[in-house]
Amino acid sequence: MPSSDDMWNRGGGGGFQQVPPPPSTGSQPPGRQQAAQPQPGATPAAAADPWATASPVVNRGTATPSTAGTSPITPSQTLAGGDAETGTPALPQTATAPMPLIGGALLLAVIGLVVGLIWHGANAGVVGWLLAGPVAIIVVGVFLVVDGKRRGSGWYRPQELAPWLLRVSVVVSLVAVVLNAFSIANDVARGRWT
């Protein structure tokens, strides 16, 4: 029975072939290696793979001349949009209540109330009723949907004025709707508006 050294050197019986050691890198700087030469009897895919002979050791502690003097940036700082010069990550924007929407609903309710107080009649009543009723309530609904989404984001800062403006706009809207509905009903009952 042949010895294991004979099988290793002959390349027969066991199916193993001795692979010569890679050429020495000589005086090349670390991290730069010559391209691997295809070995006799090697498959073309293994010879074409530039990473097949690359060393798995990565030198992470040294700085190259092109990056010397710059501060390192971590991936978390880059993703957060931080300042690369100071190395401080930027915090996400804090969401607040959509105040323009609630302001618009309050403005529509006040306009509907003014129309009902100043102009008497069914035509003005319909305009005031539409502004203070359906339009203002739709804007309040949009405010509630947008505010709910912002509250669910996790970065929400509540505003103390928002709930009070919401209540005031709903109350003014109800008063304006009742006043304008009375104007419409009064003209229809008297036969002035058909």
Side-chain angles (χ1 to χ4, degrees):
M1 176 167 209
S3 68
S4 62
D5 288 336
D6 289 338
M7 289 175 57
W8 180 265
N9 291 330
R10 283 188 354 215
F16 297 105
Q17 293 182 357
Q18 184 177 8
V19 178
S24 65
T25 58
S27 63
Q28 291 187 2
R32 294 190 150 212
Q33 295 181 356
Q34 292 181 347
Q37 299 296 326
Q39 300 294 328
T43 62
D49 187 7
W51 302 105
T53 60
S55 172
V57 178
V58 178
N59 191 3
R60 295 181 188 259
T62 60
T64 60
S66 63
T67 60
T70 60
S71 63
I73 301 172
T74 62
S76 62
Q77 291 170 342
T78 305
L79 290 176
D83 188 8
E85 293 180 8
T86 61
T88 57
L91 294 176
Q93 293 286 339
T94 304
T96 58
M99 297 303 285
L101 286 174
I102 196 63
L106 183 59
L107 180 66
L108 288 169
V110 168
I111 290 172
L113 184 64
V114 168
V115 167
L117 289 174
I118 294 178
W119 292 287
H120 299 288
N123 292 332
V126 168
V127 172
W129 183 85
L130 284 174
L131 288 176
V135 178
I137 296 302
I138 287 173
V139 174
V140 167
V142 170
F143 165 80
L144 291 174
V145 169
V146 172
D147 189 46
K149 286 181 182 177
R150 289 185 182 181
R151 284 178 186 266
S153 69
W155 293 93
Y156 183 81
R157 181 173 46 96
Q159 301 218 347
E160 297 177 11
L161 192 59
W164 290 103
L165 285 178
L166 181 66
R167 292 175 187 136
V168 168
S169 65
V170 169
V171 168
V172 171
S173 179
L174 288 175
V175 170
V177 164
V178 168
L179 183 64
N180 286 304
F182 178 76
S183 294
I184 295 169
N186 189 30
D187 276 5
V188 169
R190 292 176 186 261
R192 297 182 192 161
W193 187 61
T194 57

